[in-house]
Amino acid sequence: MMRISRGPAGVRGALGAATCAAVAVAAFSVTGHARQARTVSDGVYTAEQAKRGQQLYTAQCVSCHGEKLQGVVGPMLMGEGFLSAWSGRSLADLVDKIQLTMPLQTPNSLSRPQAIDIAAYMLQAGSHRAGPTALNDAALKQVTFTAARPPAAATAPAGGVPIASASNLAQFMRGVTFPNANIIFNVQVKDPGADKPSAPVPFDYLLWGYTQYYGWQAVDQAALALTETTPLFLLPGRRCENGRPAPTNKADYQQFTQDLVNLSKDLYRASQSRNQDAVAGMAEKLNDACANCHKVYRDVGTAEGGGLGTDRCRQ
Ligand code: HEC
Ligand code: HEC
């Protein structure tokens, strides 16, 4: 899938890299005390709402999130993993997430009251008790998930700005790793030395950005970006899309990560030679460095050879 990036998808991937540098640097601290605000454990919804929510959930969500909300191809919607992801956030955020982005294939198809009913069902399934008063739109902002301990994980480089994982592993791969790798794969089909992009009409920021940093400079940057961002595969606290923790403590996963870092350094040196054959000749190795890990941790489960394998990130 990613060895040779021909056609529009590959081109899109390559151009996307210009904007992908943003590595999630999320500073946060949940210092606020729960003034008089309520938490999800304070009986904030009615049993009747949860019942309606359950029907919607069964019809529209169960295939991806599971009968027990345990997560299938979508993340788990209860339990420790879920609660730590939502720690300190309000029910308004959760209802927005449901209404604006779910179900995955038909976002924005639920009404606000329906999304609220589903949230009520999720609370019930997570053993938060029901109460006498129905949850309504106005109350959502005042109800928060109990703040968990801040993730022990956050590391702080100089300046003290913590690096914390904000994306799941799939989002990180799609946003950072994939577009940079595609710039390198593209050297197989296009000589960076002959690359002279011109500004697009009609205007498009991505295409225009590519006219600023292109050719060998873009290949250098992609190799450096992979070198520097790949260790973030191991960032503590990172989850996979299905809610499982990324297998950061597994020795083989760590080794696959190190292998990709090493190869990216070699790719940078090769790029410095400005020799198309030298870089193109390493594309196979790059493909292997991705595939070795994918074979074990990604392309496993019901969806053969990729897609949303249900066993992703199983440890
Ligand atoms: C086709 C599969 C699919 C269906 C159907 C689906 N989801 Fe999801 N859901 C996902 C995936 C994948 C993610 C992770 C990516 C994201 O957060 O956007 C997700 C994320 C979520 C999250 C965020 C979880 C977290 O910890 O951040 C919530 C909440 C959620 N879904 C609720 C629902 C509800 C409610 C429905 C039904 C109305 C639903 N989903 C239907 C696949 C699906
Ligand atoms: C150390 C292991 C590892 C390495 C190395 C690795 N990946 Fe991944 N990759 C994964 C795992 C695990 C997933 C699934 C993550 C999830 O479901 O949240 C994934 C998911 C992806 C996805 C998203 C697929 C989808 O649509 O769900 C893309 C794209 C991707 N990787 C590209 C790459 C490329 C390109 C490389 C090499 C330059 C690479 N990865 C190297 C482990 C790895």
Side-chain angles (χ1 to χ4, degrees):
M1 154 186 149
M2 60 194 77
R3 184 147 108 226
I4 299 206
S5 344
R6 274 184 232 275
V11 173
R12 270 203 306 277
L15 293 167
T19 53
C20 78
V23 168
V25 175
F28 57 87
S29 73
V30 188
T31 47
H33 319 280
R35 281 166 253 134
Q36 285 310 322
R38 292 181 299 163
T39 78
V40 292
S41 305
D42 294 336
V44 294
Y45 66 93
T46 63
E48 206 177 305
Q49 278 187 303
K51 201 167 169 196
R52 288 196 303 266
Q54 179 170 18
Q55 281 165 2
L56 289 163
Y57 180 88
T58 304
Q60 302 195 39
C61 322
V62 81
S63 59
C64 294
H65 292 285
E67 237 161 85
K68 300 196 159 65
L69 286 72
Q70 78 278 20
V72 185
V73 299
M76 62 184 87
L77 299 179
M78 61 171 291
E80 210 183 304
F82 176 76
L83 289 174
S84 72
W86 287 85
S87 138
R89 296 171 67 184
S90 77
L91 275 185
D93 287 351
L94 179 67
V95 172
D96 282 348
K97 171 78 194 173
I98 294 170
Q99 196 191 357
L100 303 177
T101 76
M102 293 290 141
L104 202 59
Q105 322 88 319
T106 47
N108 234 330
S109 57
L110 293 164
S111 68
R112 193 70 171 170
Q114 286 178 318
I116 293 173
D117 287 349
I118 294 176
Y121 169 62
M122 287 170 58
L123 294 183
Q124 186 186 60
S127 304
H128 302 288
R129 67 183 173 84
T133 315
L135 188 57
N136 63 31
D137 203 12
L140 290 176
K141 271 200 172 63
Q142 269 99 56
V143 185
T144 55
F145 285 92
T146 317
R149 287 161 273 122
T155 42
V161 181
I163 302 177
S165 120
S167 51
N168 63 45
L169 189 61
Q171 290 167 329
F172 188 84
M173 294 268 164
R174 293 173 196 145
V176 178
T177 311
F178 186 51
N180 281 305
N182 281 338
I183 292 178
I184 291 164
F185 289 126
N186 225 25
V187 177
Q188 296 173 105
V189 294
K190 198 169 161 190
D191 176 8
D195 196 15
K196 284 272 178 295
S198 51
V201 181
F203 193 78
D204 175 306
Y205 278 99
L206 282 183
L207 296 174
W208 168 80
Y210 183 52
T211 69
Q212 304 299 299
Y213 316 109
Y214 57 90
W216 282 113
Q217 187 187 8
V219 179
D220 286 350
Q221 287 156 188
L224 291 172
L226 284 176
T227 306
E228 198 162 316
T229 58
T230 296
L232 293 173
F233 294 179
L234 296 170
L235 197 62
R238 172 136 13 246
R239 288 184 177 273
C240 293
E241 194 168 52
N242 57 16
R244 293 196 180 111
T248 51
N249 57 355
K250 300 290 282 188
D252 56 350
Y253 180 88
Q254 294 171 0
Q255 188 59 51
F256 295 140
T257 303
Q258 183 67 60
D259 291 346
L260 180 55
V261 172
N262 295 345
L263 183 70
S264 302
K265 288 182 185 165
D266 293 345
L267 279 163
Y268 178 70
R269 277 194 292 275
S271 177
Q272 293 285 291
S273 75
R274 301 307 192 230
N275 178 333
Q276 184 185 11
D277 289 343
V279 176
M282 291 175 69
E284 186 89 16
K285 280 193 189 158
L286 179 58
N287 185 58
D288 289 347
C290 310
N292 289 343
C293 188
H294 289 165
K295 255 182 275 177
V296 183
Y297 290 110
R298 188 188 77 171
D299 304 336
V300 281
T302 51
E304 278 299 315
L308 292 168
T310 48
D311 282 344
R312 279 187 172 193
C313 302
R314 201 187 45 195
Q315 300 178 43

